[in-house]
Amino acid sequence: MGVKFNREYKDIVTDLANAIGTIDDSYEAFEMDADDWSALASAEQAEFMRTLADDIFYGLGSMPKLSIGSGTIEYDPVNHVLKVHSHENVVHVIQLI
């Protein structure tokens, strides 16, 4: 299937990384606890989120919804967007075109 996009890939990944970072316990995707995560420098946390965003983007090509911590990321092919949910609310919509 694959995620269809027309925007610059790096811009999508940057937006997705920033959105994932708003999920309170997104660090659980790295099998870390809150103390381990907070011990990392902000640049290290940002690099982890960019890597996770890249992995999620490709994962959404085969599974339209993925769980990250207490949130989810959903590919909406009809509207050409990624929806990042935290605690049952859509907190970010990332345009793909």
mmCIF file with all atom_site columns, all heavy atoms in Angstrom, residues 58-78:
data_model
loop_
_atom_site.group_PDB
_atom_site.id
_atom_site.type_symbol
_atom_site.label_atom_id
_atom_site.label_alt_id
_atom_site.label_comp_id
_atom_site.label_asym_id
_atom_site.label_entity_id
_atom_site.label_seq_id
_atom_site.pdbx_PDB_ins_code
_atom_site.Cartn_x
_atom_site.Cartn_y
_atom_site.Cartn_z
_atom_site.occupancy
_atom_site.B_iso_or_equiv
_atom_site.pdbx_formal_charge
_atom_site.auth_seq_id
_atom_site.auth_comp_id
_atom_site.auth_asym_id
_atom_site.auth_atom_id
_atom_site.pdbx_PDB_model_num
ATOM 1   N N   . TYR A 1 58 ? 7.095   4.701  7.605  1.00 0.00 ? 58 TYR A N   1
ATOM 2   C CA  . TYR A 1 58 ? 7.134   3.495  6.773  1.00 0.00 ? 58 TYR A CA  1
ATOM 3   C C   . TYR A 1 58 ? 6.215   2.406  7.314  1.00 0.00 ? 58 TYR A C   1
ATOM 4   O O   . TYR A 1 58 ? 5.612   1.664  6.539  1.00 0.00 ? 58 TYR A O   1
ATOM 5   C CB  . TYR A 1 58 ? 8.570   3.000  6.604  1.00 0.00 ? 58 TYR A CB  1
ATOM 6   C CG  . TYR A 1 58 ? 9.295   3.865  5.607  1.00 0.00 ? 58 TYR A CG  1
ATOM 7   C CD1 . TYR A 1 58 ? 10.167  4.850  6.018  1.00 0.00 ? 58 TYR A CD1 1
ATOM 8   C CD2 . TYR A 1 58 ? 9.038   3.745  4.246  1.00 0.00 ? 58 TYR A CD2 1
ATOM 9   C CE1 . TYR A 1 58 ? 10.790  5.681  5.105  1.00 0.00 ? 58 TYR A CE1 1
ATOM 10  C CE2 . TYR A 1 58 ? 9.654   4.564  3.318  1.00 0.00 ? 58 TYR A CE2 1
ATOM 11  C CZ  . TYR A 1 58 ? 10.534  5.522  3.760  1.00 0.00 ? 58 TYR A CZ  1
ATOM 12  O OH  . TYR A 1 58 ? 11.136  6.344  2.846  1.00 0.00 ? 58 TYR A OH  1
ATOM 13  N N   . GLY A 1 59 ? 6.071   2.322  8.628  1.00 0.00 ? 59 GLY A N   1
ATOM 14  C CA  . GLY A 1 59 ? 5.163   1.338  9.213  1.00 0.00 ? 59 GLY A CA  1
ATOM 15  C C   . GLY A 1 59 ? 3.715   1.594  8.841  1.00 0.00 ? 59 GLY A C   1
ATOM 16  O O   . GLY A 1 59 ? 2.933   0.659  8.658  1.00 0.00 ? 59 GLY A O   1
ATOM 17  N N   . LEU A 1 60 ? 3.346   2.873  8.708  1.00 0.00 ? 60 LEU A N   1
ATOM 18  C CA  . LEU A 1 60 ? 1.972   3.208  8.335  1.00 0.00 ? 60 LEU A CA  1
ATOM 19  C C   . LEU A 1 60 ? 1.638   2.778  6.909  1.00 0.00 ? 60 LEU A C   1
ATOM 20  O O   . LEU A 1 60 ? 0.462   2.700  6.553  1.00 0.00 ? 60 LEU A O   1
ATOM 21  C CB  . LEU A 1 60 ? 1.730   4.713  8.494  1.00 0.00 ? 60 LEU A CB  1
ATOM 22  C CG  . LEU A 1 60 ? 1.685   5.214  9.935  1.00 0.00 ? 60 LEU A CG  1
ATOM 23  C CD1 . LEU A 1 60 ? 1.700   6.737  9.960  1.00 0.00 ? 60 LEU A CD1 1
ATOM 24  C CD2 . LEU A 1 60 ? 0.480   4.670  10.665 1.00 0.00 ? 60 LEU A CD2 1
ATOM 25  N N   . GLY A 1 61 ? 2.634   2.462  6.136  1.00 0.00 ? 61 GLY A N   1
ATOM 26  C CA  . GLY A 1 61 ? 2.403   1.961  4.785  1.00 0.00 ? 61 GLY A CA  1
ATOM 27  C C   . GLY A 1 61 ? 1.782   0.581  4.769  1.00 0.00 ? 61 GLY A C   1
ATOM 28  O O   . GLY A 1 61 ? 1.106   0.200  3.815  1.00 0.00 ? 61 GLY A O   1
ATOM 29  N N   . SER A 1 62 ? 1.980   -0.182 5.841  1.00 0.00 ? 62 SER A N   1
ATOM 30  C CA  . SER A 1 62 ? 1.392   -1.517 5.896  1.00 0.00 ? 62 SER A CA  1
ATOM 31  C C   . SER A 1 62 ? 0.327   -1.653 6.979  1.00 0.00 ? 62 SER A C   1
ATOM 32  O O   . SER A 1 62 ? -0.507  -2.548 6.916  1.00 0.00 ? 62 SER A O   1
ATOM 33  C CB  . SER A 1 62 ? 2.480   -2.567 6.109  1.00 0.00 ? 62 SER A CB  1
ATOM 34  O OG  . SER A 1 62 ? 3.175   -2.326 7.303  1.00 0.00 ? 62 SER A OG  1
ATOM 35  N N   . MET A 1 63 ? 0.360   -0.770 7.972  1.00 0.00 ? 63 MET A N   1
ATOM 36  C CA  . MET A 1 63 ? -0.648  -0.765 9.034  1.00 0.00 ? 63 MET A CA  1
ATOM 37  C C   . MET A 1 63 ? -1.137  0.676  9.177  1.00 0.00 ? 63 MET A C   1
ATOM 38  O O   . MET A 1 63 ? -0.341  1.550  9.517  1.00 0.00 ? 63 MET A O   1
ATOM 39  C CB  . MET A 1 63 ? -0.046  -1.234 10.358 1.00 0.00 ? 63 MET A CB  1
ATOM 40  C CG  . MET A 1 63 ? 0.406   -2.676 10.337 1.00 0.00 ? 63 MET A CG  1
ATOM 41  S SD  . MET A 1 63 ? 1.206   -3.175 11.892 1.00 0.00 ? 63 MET A SD  1
ATOM 42  C CE  . MET A 1 63 ? -0.055  -2.816 13.079 1.00 0.00 ? 63 MET A CE  1
ATOM 43  N N   . PRO A 1 64 ? -2.406  0.944  8.932  1.00 0.00 ? 64 PRO A N   1
ATOM 44  C CA  . PRO A 1 64 ? -2.867  2.334  8.916  1.00 0.00 ? 64 PRO A CA  1
ATOM 45  C C   . PRO A 1 64 ? -2.941  3.012  10.279 1.00 0.00 ? 64 PRO A C   1
ATOM 46  O O   . PRO A 1 64 ? -3.150  4.219  10.359 1.00 0.00 ? 64 PRO A O   1
ATOM 47  C CB  . PRO A 1 64 ? -4.257  2.243  8.294  1.00 0.00 ? 64 PRO A CB  1
ATOM 48  C CG  . PRO A 1 64 ? -4.698  0.850  8.576  1.00 0.00 ? 64 PRO A CG  1
ATOM 49  C CD  . PRO A 1 64 ? -3.451  0.007  8.567  1.00 0.00 ? 64 PRO A CD  1
ATOM 50  N N   . LYS A 1 65 ? -2.712  2.260  11.364 1.00 0.00 ? 65 LYS A N   1
ATOM 51  C CA  . LYS A 1 65 ? -2.768  2.856  12.700 1.00 0.00 ? 65 LYS A CA  1
ATOM 52  C C   . LYS A 1 65 ? -1.734  2.167  13.582 1.00 0.00 ? 65 LYS A C   1
ATOM 53  O O   . LYS A 1 65 ? -1.697  0.939  13.657 1.00 0.00 ? 65 LYS A O   1
ATOM 54  C CB  . LYS A 1 65 ? -4.165  2.693  13.294 1.00 0.00 ? 65 LYS A CB  1
ATOM 55  C CG  . LYS A 1 65 ? -4.406  3.458  14.556 1.00 0.00 ? 65 LYS A CG  1
ATOM 56  C CD  . LYS A 1 65 ? -5.877  3.328  14.951 1.00 0.00 ? 65 LYS A CD  1
ATOM 57  C CE  . LYS A 1 65 ? -6.255  4.320  16.011 1.00 0.00 ? 65 LYS A CE  1
ATOM 58  N NZ  . LYS A 1 65 ? -7.674  4.239  16.339 1.00 0.00 ? 65 LYS A NZ  1
ATOM 59  N N   . LEU A 1 66 ? -0.897  2.962  14.241 1.00 0.00 ? 66 LEU A N   1
ATOM 60  C CA  . LEU A 1 66 ? 0.139   2.431  15.122 1.00 0.00 ? 66 LEU A CA  1
ATOM 61  C C   . LEU A 1 66 ? 0.031   3.085  16.498 1.00 0.00 ? 66 LEU A C   1
ATOM 62  O O   . LEU A 1 66 ? -0.287  4.271  16.605 1.00 0.00 ? 66 LEU A O   1
ATOM 63  C CB  . LEU A 1 66 ? 1.531   2.713  14.541 1.00 0.00 ? 66 LEU A CB  1
ATOM 64  C CG  . LEU A 1 66 ? 1.851   2.065  13.201 1.00 0.00 ? 66 LEU A CG  1
ATOM 65  C CD1 . LEU A 1 66 ? 3.172   2.597  12.659 1.00 0.00 ? 66 LEU A CD1 1
ATOM 66  C CD2 . LEU A 1 66 ? 1.922   0.550  13.351 1.00 0.00 ? 66 LEU A CD2 1
ATOM 67  N N   . SER A 1 67 ? 0.321   2.307  17.532 1.00 0.00 ? 67 SER A N   1
ATOM 68  C CA  . SER A 1 67 ? 0.317   2.825  18.902 1.00 0.00 ? 67 SER A CA  1
ATOM 69  C C   . SER A 1 67 ? 1.728   3.206  19.317 1.00 0.00 ? 67 SER A C   1
ATOM 70  O O   . SER A 1 67 ? 2.679   2.461  19.076 1.00 0.00 ? 67 SER A O   1
ATOM 71  C CB  . SER A 1 67 ? -0.210  1.772  19.873 1.00 0.00 ? 67 SER A CB  1
ATOM 72  O OG  . SER A 1 67 ? -1.553  1.485  19.586 1.00 0.00 ? 67 SER A OG  1
ATOM 73  N N   . ILE A 1 68 ? 1.831   4.368  19.957 1.00 0.00 ? 68 ILE A N   1
ATOM 74  C CA  . ILE A 1 68 ? 3.093   4.847  20.518 1.00 0.00 ? 68 ILE A CA  1
ATOM 75  C C   . ILE A 1 68 ? 2.777   5.336  21.926 1.00 0.00 ? 68 ILE A C   1
ATOM 76  O O   . ILE A 1 68 ? 2.052   6.324  22.090 1.00 0.00 ? 68 ILE A O   1
ATOM 77  C CB  . ILE A 1 68 ? 3.704   5.994  19.681 1.00 0.00 ? 68 ILE A CB  1
ATOM 78  C CG1 . ILE A 1 68 ? 3.966   5.549  18.248 1.00 0.00 ? 68 ILE A CG1 1
ATOM 79  C CG2 . ILE A 1 68 ? 4.971   6.531  20.351 1.00 0.00 ? 68 ILE A CG2 1
ATOM 80  C CD1 . ILE A 1 68 ? 4.947   4.402  18.097 1.00 0.00 ? 68 ILE A CD1 1
ATOM 81  N N   . GLY A 1 69 ? 3.291   4.641  22.932 1.00 0.00 ? 69 GLY A N   1
ATOM 82  C CA  . GLY A 1 69 ? 2.939   4.994  24.308 1.00 0.00 ? 69 GLY A CA  1
ATOM 83  C C   . GLY A 1 69 ? 1.433   4.961  24.461 1.00 0.00 ? 69 GLY A C   1
ATOM 84  O O   . GLY A 1 69 ? 0.768   4.033  24.024 1.00 0.00 ? 69 GLY A O   1
ATOM 85  N N   . SER A 1 70 ? 0.880   6.026  25.027 1.00 0.00 ? 70 SER A N   1
ATOM 86  C CA  . SER A 1 70 ? -0.572  6.101  25.202 1.00 0.00 ? 70 SER A CA  1
ATOM 87  C C   . SER A 1 70 ? -1.268  6.759  24.016 1.00 0.00 ? 70 SER A C   1
ATOM 88  O O   . SER A 1 70 ? -2.470  6.987  24.044 1.00 0.00 ? 70 SER A O   1
ATOM 89  C CB  . SER A 1 70 ? -0.906  6.879  26.478 1.00 0.00 ? 70 SER A CB  1
ATOM 90  O OG  . SER A 1 70 ? -0.391  8.196  26.383 1.00 0.00 ? 70 SER A OG  1
ATOM 91  N N   . GLY A 1 71 ? -0.522  7.039  22.956 1.00 0.00 ? 71 GLY A N   1
ATOM 92  C CA  . GLY A 1 71 ? -1.097  7.679  21.780 1.00 0.00 ? 71 GLY A CA  1
ATOM 93  C C   . GLY A 1 71 ? -1.118  6.765  20.572 1.00 0.00 ? 71 GLY A C   1
ATOM 94  O O   . GLY A 1 71 ? -0.670  5.611  20.626 1.00 0.00 ? 71 GLY A O   1
ATOM 95  N N   . THR A 1 72 ? -1.677  7.286  19.489 1.00 0.00 ? 72 THR A N   1
ATOM 96  C CA  . THR A 1 72 ? -1.698  6.560  18.221 1.00 0.00 ? 72 THR A CA  1
ATOM 97  C C   . THR A 1 72 ? -1.388  7.524  17.087 1.00 0.00 ? 72 THR A C   1
ATOM 98  O O   . THR A 1 72 ? -1.613  8.726  17.189 1.00 0.00 ? 72 THR A O   1
ATOM 99  C CB  . THR A 1 72 ? -3.066  5.900  17.940 1.00 0.00 ? 72 THR A CB  1
ATOM 100 O OG1 . THR A 1 72 ? -4.078  6.910  17.911 1.00 0.00 ? 72 THR A OG1 1
ATOM 101 C CG2 . THR A 1 72 ? -3.408  4.851  18.978 1.00 0.00 ? 72 THR A CG2 1
ATOM 102 N N   . ILE A 1 73 ? -0.882  6.950  16.005 1.00 0.00 ? 73 ILE A N   1
ATOM 103 C CA  . ILE A 1 73 ? -0.655  7.697  14.778 1.00 0.00 ? 73 ILE A CA  1
ATOM 104 C C   . ILE A 1 73 ? -1.432  6.960  13.703 1.00 0.00 ? 73 ILE A C   1
ATOM 105 O O   . ILE A 1 73 ? -1.331  5.736  13.568 1.00 0.00 ? 73 ILE A O   1
ATOM 106 C CB  . ILE A 1 73 ? 0.837   7.796  14.410 1.00 0.00 ? 73 ILE A CB  1
ATOM 107 C CG1 . ILE A 1 73 ? 1.601   8.616  15.464 1.00 0.00 ? 73 ILE A CG1 1
ATOM 108 C CG2 . ILE A 1 73 ? 1.007   8.484  13.072 1.00 0.00 ? 73 ILE A CG2 1
ATOM 109 C CD1 . ILE A 1 73 ? 2.080   7.844  16.596 1.00 0.00 ? 73 ILE A CD1 1
ATOM 110 N N   . GLU A 1 74 ? -2.228  7.694  12.953 1.00 0.00 ? 74 GLU A N   1
ATOM 111 C CA  . GLU A 1 74 ? -3.130  7.100  11.970 1.00 0.00 ? 74 GLU A CA  1
ATOM 112 C C   . GLU A 1 74 ? -2.925  7.755  10.606 1.00 0.00 ? 74 GLU A C   1
ATOM 113 O O   . GLU A 1 74 ? -2.835  8.979  10.503 1.00 0.00 ? 74 GLU A O   1
ATOM 114 C CB  . GLU A 1 74 ? -4.563  7.320  12.437 1.00 0.00 ? 74 GLU A CB  1
ATOM 115 C CG  . GLU A 1 74 ? -5.619  6.798  11.523 1.00 0.00 ? 74 GLU A CG  1
ATOM 116 C CD  . GLU A 1 74 ? -7.013  7.082  12.056 1.00 0.00 ? 74 GLU A CD  1
ATOM 117 O OE1 . GLU A 1 74 ? -7.163  7.701  13.125 1.00 0.00 ? 74 GLU A OE1 1
ATOM 118 O OE2 . GLU A 1 74 ? -7.964  6.680  11.367 1.00 0.00 ? 74 GLU A OE2 1
ATOM 119 N N   . TYR A 1 75 ? -2.852  6.926  9.574  1.00 0.00 ? 75 TYR A N   1
ATOM 120 C CA  . TYR A 1 75 ? -2.772  7.404  8.203  1.00 0.00 ? 75 TYR A CA  1
ATOM 121 C C   . TYR A 1 75 ? -4.178  7.493  7.640  1.00 0.00 ? 75 TYR A C   1
ATOM 122 O O   . TYR A 1 75 ? -4.918  6.522  7.636  1.00 0.00 ? 75 TYR A O   1
ATOM 123 C CB  . TYR A 1 75 ? -1.917  6.454  7.367  1.00 0.00 ? 75 TYR A CB  1
ATOM 124 C CG  . TYR A 1 75 ? -1.897  6.735  5.887  1.00 0.00 ? 75 TYR A CG  1
ATOM 125 C CD1 . TYR A 1 75 ? -1.748  8.030  5.391  1.00 0.00 ? 75 TYR A CD1 1
ATOM 126 C CD2 . TYR A 1 75 ? -1.996  5.690  4.972  1.00 0.00 ? 75 TYR A CD2 1
ATOM 127 C CE1 . TYR A 1 75 ? -1.716  8.276  4.024  1.00 0.00 ? 75 TYR A CE1 1
ATOM 128 C CE2 . TYR A 1 75 ? -1.955  5.933  3.603  1.00 0.00 ? 75 TYR A CE2 1
ATOM 129 C CZ  . TYR A 1 75 ? -1.821  7.222  3.138  1.00 0.00 ? 75 TYR A CZ  1
ATOM 130 O OH  . TYR A 1 75 ? -1.788  7.460  1.789  1.00 0.00 ? 75 TYR A OH  1
ATOM 131 N N   . ASP A 1 76 ? -4.558  8.676  7.187  1.00 0.00 ? 76 ASP A N   1
ATOM 132 C CA  . ASP A 1 76 ? -5.864  8.914  6.574  1.00 0.00 ? 76 ASP A CA  1
ATOM 133 C C   . ASP A 1 76 ? -5.631  9.172  5.087  1.00 0.00 ? 76 ASP A C   1
ATOM 134 O O   . ASP A 1 76 ? -5.343  10.300 4.679  1.00 0.00 ? 76 ASP A O   1
ATOM 135 C CB  . ASP A 1 76 ? -6.529  10.122 7.237  1.00 0.00 ? 76 ASP A CB  1
ATOM 136 C CG  . ASP A 1 76 ? -7.886  10.459 6.648  1.00 0.00 ? 76 ASP A CG  1
ATOM 137 O OD1 . ASP A 1 76 ? -8.245  9.944  5.574  1.00 0.00 ? 76 ASP A OD1 1
ATOM 138 O OD2 . ASP A 1 76 ? -8.590  11.289 7.269  1.00 0.00 ? 76 ASP A OD2 1
ATOM 139 N N   . PRO A 1 77 ? -5.714  8.116  4.254  1.00 0.00 ? 77 PRO A N   1
ATOM 140 C CA  . PRO A 1 77 ? -5.403  8.271  2.835  1.00 0.00 ? 77 PRO A CA  1
ATOM 141 C C   . PRO A 1 77 ? -6.422  9.116  2.069  1.00 0.00 ? 77 PRO A C   1
ATOM 142 O O   . PRO A 1 77 ? -6.080  9.710  1.047  1.00 0.00 ? 77 PRO A O   1
ATOM 143 C CB  . PRO A 1 77 ? -5.369  6.835  2.310  1.00 0.00 ? 77 PRO A CB  1
ATOM 144 C CG  . PRO A 1 77 ? -6.210  6.055  3.261  1.00 0.00 ? 77 PRO A CG  1
ATOM 145 C CD  . PRO A 1 77 ? -6.079  6.739  4.594  1.00 0.00 ? 77 PRO A CD  1
ATOM 146 N N   . VAL A 1 78 ? -7.644  9.183  2.543  1.00 0.00 ? 78 VAL A N   1
ATOM 147 C CA  . VAL A 1 78 ? -8.675  9.962  1.856  1.00 0.00 ? 78 VAL A CA  1
ATOM 148 C C   . VAL A 1 78 ? -8.356  11.456 1.931  1.00 0.00 ? 78 VAL A C   1
ATOM 149 O O   . VAL A 1 78 ? -8.487  12.183 0.951  1.00 0.00 ? 78 VAL A O   1
ATOM 150 C CB  . VAL A 1 78 ? -10.073 9.662  2.457  1.00 0.00 ? 78 VAL A CB  1
ATOM 151 C CG1 . VAL A 1 78 ? -11.126 10.584 1.876  1.00 0.00 ? 78 VAL A CG1 1
ATOM 152 C CG2 . VAL A 1 78 ? -10.442 8.204  2.235  1.00 0.00 ? 78 VAL A CG2 1
#
